[in-house]
Amino acid sequence: MTDAPSWLILLPILLAVGAFAGTLAGLLGIGGGIAIVPVLYWLTEAGLLDVAPEVAIHFAVATSLLTIIPTSISSARAHHGKGAIDLPMFRSWAPFMVIGALIGGGLAANANATVLSAVFGTVALIVVLNMLIPTPVVLAEKPPAALLGRAAIAGPIGAFSAMMGIGGGTLSVSVMTLLSVPVHRAVGTAALFGLAIAVPGILGYAFAGQDIPGLLPWSVGYINIPAALVISVATFCFAPLGAKIAHHLNARHLRLAFAVFLGISGAKMLSEAVL
């Protein structure tokens, strides 16, 4: 992957970002990818990971998706213990998320990162404004039961999340709260959605990255296995801590925590797309 001296620097960085991402995953129902992707990309720019510049973002996104599997399992188990996962909603949305993630992962190699970042940043900031106002906007009294409605919501969440290397919580928590799902239940359910997005997204990146030069040893397509494993150890251990913190916050405080996180991420992506 890199030489031994570089690993002495890499290991604590990867473990630290894994701990941070795992805590965020448990706290906010996200997969942790929004924290992991920028760090992996920065490590390539800093020369600590020998990845060609033209495939650096694809490596970061794909490797992040693999870490989401253990993170989501750990986070979802913790939230399920608190009774905060809506299993009927998961079963009704997950198939469309899987289809969307397969499409998103497969299209990743040709995705326009600038456009995706701009769209994500704009939507994220709109959601933040809605969460910060005293009486947030509610689009419906409950999530749609019709097949077309579920497909129209869950499919794009899966596709876009797979393209960006995130577990879907960033988008699904926001959407569920707009549909009157209590925020603690939205966060818990979103943790489980990470699995529905990560597994098919990984397949897309694995196939799209075949025979691509400039990637690290021990990679499957764009996915680097050693980096993902190191990060995953920390995310798996720290996700229950985040879930514990989430259930000690009231709904308003949890909404504010999510709004702050999403606002920072959205502003960063929007600035990168514009500048």
Side-chain angles (χ1 to χ4, degrees):
M1 189 173 178
T2 53
D3 55 26
S6 294
W7 262 110
L8 295 177
I9 302 172
L10 274 174
L11 276 174
I13 294 175
L14 294 178
L15 288 172
V17 71
F20 178 65
T23 304
L24 278 182
L27 177 64
L28 303 175
I30 64 173
I34 285 203
I36 296 168
V37 171
V39 172
L40 289 178
Y41 186 72
W42 172 78
L43 289 173
T44 66
E45 290 189 317
L48 292 172
L49 289 172
D50 188 18
V51 178
E54 59 271 19
V55 294
I57 188 62
H58 295 85
F59 145 76
V61 169
T63 303
S64 169
L65 274 175
L66 184 55
T67 71
I68 289 170
I69 294 178
T71 306
S72 293
I73 292 172
S74 180
S75 178
R77 286 179 60 192
H79 282 289
H80 185 58
K82 301 288 186 179
I85 293 182
D86 191 327
L87 290 176
M89 175 177 283
F90 172 78
R91 287 191 289 265
S92 66
W93 284 27
F96 302 108
M97 285 193 178
V98 168
I99 294 170
L102 279 170
I103 295 171
L107 294 175
N110 298 314
N112 188 315
T114 300
V115 172
L116 287 175
S117 296
V119 172
F120 181 90
T122 302
V123 172
L125 294 180
I126 292 172
V127 171
V128 167
L129 290 175
N130 178 55
M131 285 191 152
L132 291 178
I133 61 177
T135 306
V137 175
V138 175
L139 298 180
E141 294 183 359
K142 60 181 180 179
L147 182 70
L148 184 60
R150 287 182 281 129
I153 293 172
I157 289 175
F160 193 73
S161 298
M163 288 183 185
M164 300 300 291
I166 60 179
T170 304
L171 298 176
S172 60
V173 170
S174 305
V175 170
M176 282 188 280
T177 55
L178 288 173
L179 299 174
S180 303
V181 177
V183 67
H184 288 91
R185 202 162 185 80
V187 167
T189 307
L192 195 55
F193 281 146
L195 284 175
I197 291 169
V199 173
I202 286 168
L203 294 176
Y205 276 100
F207 284 109
Q210 293 297 314
D211 301 319
I212 300 293
L215 293 168
L216 295 168
W218 302 99
S219 291
V220 178
Y222 288 113
I223 305 162
N224 185 253
I225 304 302
L229 288 177
V230 171
I231 294 171
S232 295
V233 169
T235 59
F236 187 87
C237 293
F238 278 82
L241 172 63
K244 184 176 181 180
I245 295 171
H247 289 277
H248 280 84
L249 297 175
N250 64 35
R252 178 60 179 165
H253 291 161
L254 188 55
R255 289 177 69 90
L256 287 174
F258 187 80
V260 169
F261 161 76
L262 190 56
I264 293 171
S265 301
K268 185 177 185 300
M269 285 194 173
L270 193 58
S271 66
E272 289 181 354
V274 172
L275 298 178

